[in-house]
Amino acid sequence: MVKKNSIPDRWRSLKSIGQRVPGARFIAFKVPLKGVTNQRVTQNQKFTPKDLITAIRSQSEELGLIIDLTNTERYYTTKDLPKSVQYVKLHTAGLKIPDDATIHQFKRVVWKFLAANSDNDRLIGVHCTTGINRTGHLICRYLIDVDEWRPLHALSAFAQARGHPIEGTVYIEDIVKGPPRSNVGIDMPPAIGETLDGGDDTYSDDMPR
């Protein structure tokens, strides 16, 4: 059983945050940890939600949305984020390709954010635990399925921006050889009461914290 405030495997050794994917509005990073958990790491390893916002601003960028792909609630809460940053939780299991419904939901959340923020350049931050495999796969799927990027270009651009390449063979094979997933309905507005994050919070531009 995983301890409540334990540090994820490999977390300490990974680059905290990458840079913006060139030609897109994605930025990938490892999961930030709440303050009590960061007491277990060195000062140089510390990476909290506040550190995340500071790091992105230091790149002269602004974060508008976080899509959290971790399959747990233990790392941090929305109370740790500024109210200006929207948050969507998509519970996504590791070590396997997300199902088509999750891929579609991810693309729909991204599409809705980009449509609502066409007048600005705010970034979409995406993370799983490491910010590499699940994160890279879903970002690449969007770039390939929606923006019509070539698979190898998407893979390369993500690796360069994140500072770590996608490692999981199943993810790489799906990106390179897998079929395009349907985009039908990703541009549809949510139904009344519908949640796009699979949780209790309705995804909206003024989502309460």
Side-chain angles (χ1 to χ4, degrees):
M1 184 174 179
V2 178
K3 294 182 179 179
K4 183 177 180 181
N5 294 321
S6 63
I7 305 300
D9 290 343
R10 299 179 59 213
W11 189 90
R12 290 180 175 88
S13 64
L14 295 173
K15 188 176 180 181
S16 295
I17 184 172
Q19 296 180 323
R20 178 186 188 136
V21 176
R25 285 173 64 176
F26 292 110
I27 189 166
F29 42 88
K30 66 185 182 183
V31 61
L33 304 178
K34 57 192 175 186
V36 64
T37 307
N38 275 274
Q39 294 174 7
R40 296 169 175 263
V41 301
T42 68
Q43 184 65 27
N44 288 338
Q45 292 171 337
K46 185 172 73 73
F47 186 55
T48 66
K50 183 178 180 180
D51 295 326
L52 166 66
I53 302 301
T54 299
I56 288 179
R57 286 176 177 164
S58 73
Q59 297 183 24
S60 299
E61 301 280 10
E62 183 179 359
L63 188 63
L65 167 66
I66 290 176
I67 303 179
D68 176 357
L69 304 175
T70 59
N71 204 23
T72 176
E73 307 286 347
R74 71 186 179 92
Y75 294 123
Y76 67 96
T77 72
T78 56
K79 294 179 181 179
D80 299 321
L81 301 171
K83 291 183 178 181
S84 60
V85 177
Q86 299 167 24
Y87 175 89
V88 170
K89 178 76 173 184
L90 291 181
H91 285 275
T92 309
L95 305 177
K96 63 181 182 179
I97 299 300
D99 60 29
D100 286 356
T102 300
I103 294 172
H104 190 274
Q105 195 172 20
F106 177 87
K107 292 191 290 189
R108 190 173 175 192
V109 168
V110 171
W111 180 283
K112 183 178 187 297
F113 176 83
L114 292 176
N117 289 272
S118 60
D119 61 341
N120 62 61
D121 200 36
R122 297 188 185 106
L123 298 185
I124 300 167
V126 186
H127 75 82
C128 47
T129 307
T130 65
I132 296 173
N133 287 317
R134 283 168 284 178
T135 296
H137 176 264
L138 285 170
I139 287 176
C140 286
R141 279 261 61 97
Y142 188 93
L143 295 174
I144 294 164
D145 295 347
V146 181
D147 291 345
E148 299 182 343
W149 285 32
R150 290 178 290 106
L152 292 179
H153 175 51
L155 271 174
S156 175
F158 174 80
Q160 182 178 359
R162 176 64 183 94
H164 298 285
I166 296 175
E167 301 162 340
T169 302
V170 291
Y171 299 106
I172 295 171
E173 288 184 349
D174 184 74
I175 291 167
V176 176
K177 300 178 181 178
R181 306 312 202 275
S182 173
N183 296 327
V184 175
I186 67 169
D187 56 344
M188 294 291 288
I192 295 175
E194 178 186 8
T195 60
L196 290 186
D197 61 356
D200 296 326
D201 292 324
T202 300
Y203 175 76
S204 67
D205 293 341
D206 56 352
M207 190 183 74
R209 294 286 173 231

